[in-house]
Amino acid sequence: MKYPTFEDVKKAREGLRDISIRHWLQDDLFTWKWWLLLTATIIPWILWVKFRDKQRTFELLSYGLIWSAIASLTDVIGGDMILWGYPDKLLPMVPPLFPADITVIPVSFMFIYQYTKTFKTYLIFSLLLSACFAYIIEPLFIKAEMFALHKWTHTFSFIGFFILAFIPYFITKRLTPKK
């Protein structure tokens, strides 16, 4: 039995890249789904700039960047493990659901972080938002054929969103100087 070499893996990835770009050009670019993804990438940040607590901009951005990193990392891992997938992409070479990973998820949680005064209220609103993402948004994206579950469930997503919400909260609280 011959084990694949790094060169074999590289060739397979090159083939996958070429197919992915052709698919994106033919099936994704400038479709209504592509425009939705583009809008979902831009609008939340416009809202955040308008409604953020300007005194806490650095703290809120730090929190959001931690969320973005976590969301992107988990999305890449889940996509590579074929736990879920995204038939449509904004760009062919970025993490699968770029608009959600760097915009919708972090900005939504940033507003929760900004407007909740105690950990208990943060916990409650994070629970509600996690449920919304897992049990409302995900099924809508499945219905629109923009998201597919393979070896994953909405309940796993709910648990994941909820547990992951603790990481940026505690890191940001720990790093933010006390006033």
Side-chain angles (χ1 to χ4, degrees), residues 56 59 62-64 66-67 70 109-110 112-114 116-123 126 162-176 178:
R56 297 173 60 202
E59 176 186 355
S62 298
Y63 172 90
I66 295 166
W67 243 121
I70 292 167
F109 277 96
M110 284 164 74
I112 288 174
Y113 181 83
Q114 174 178 317
T116 57
K117 302 296 181 209
T118 66
F119 178 68
K120 183 178 178 181
T121 56
Y122 176 83
L123 195 70
S126 292
F162 186 61
I163 289 172
L164 292 176
F166 290 91
I167 298 169
Y169 181 90
F170 287 119
I171 291 173
T172 306
K173 289 295 186 187
R174 179 96 170 133
L175 296 177
T176 302
K178 304 290 184 238

Side-chain angles (χ1 to χ4, degrees), residues 1-12:
M1 170 189 247
K2 179 185 180 269
Y3 293 101
T5 65
F6 177 73
E7 192 60 34
D8 295 332
V9 173
K10 181 178 159 260
K11 284 180 185 173

Side-chain angles (χ1 to χ4, degrees), residues 17 20-25 27-31 33-39 41 86-102 146:
R17 176 203 59 208
S20 181
I21 290 172
R22 284 198 315 268
H23 167 78
W24 180 77
L25 288 169
D27 293 335
D28 295 344
L29 186 61
F30 302 127
T31 64
K33 294 175 185 180
W34 184 87
W35 287 105
L36 177 67
L37 293 172
L38 181 64
T39 303
T41 302
Y86 303 96
D88 302 287
K89 289 183 176 184
L90 180 62
L91 299 170
M93 72 289 294
V94 297
L97 196 53
F98 187 69
D101 295 340
I102 67 152
M146 296 176 72

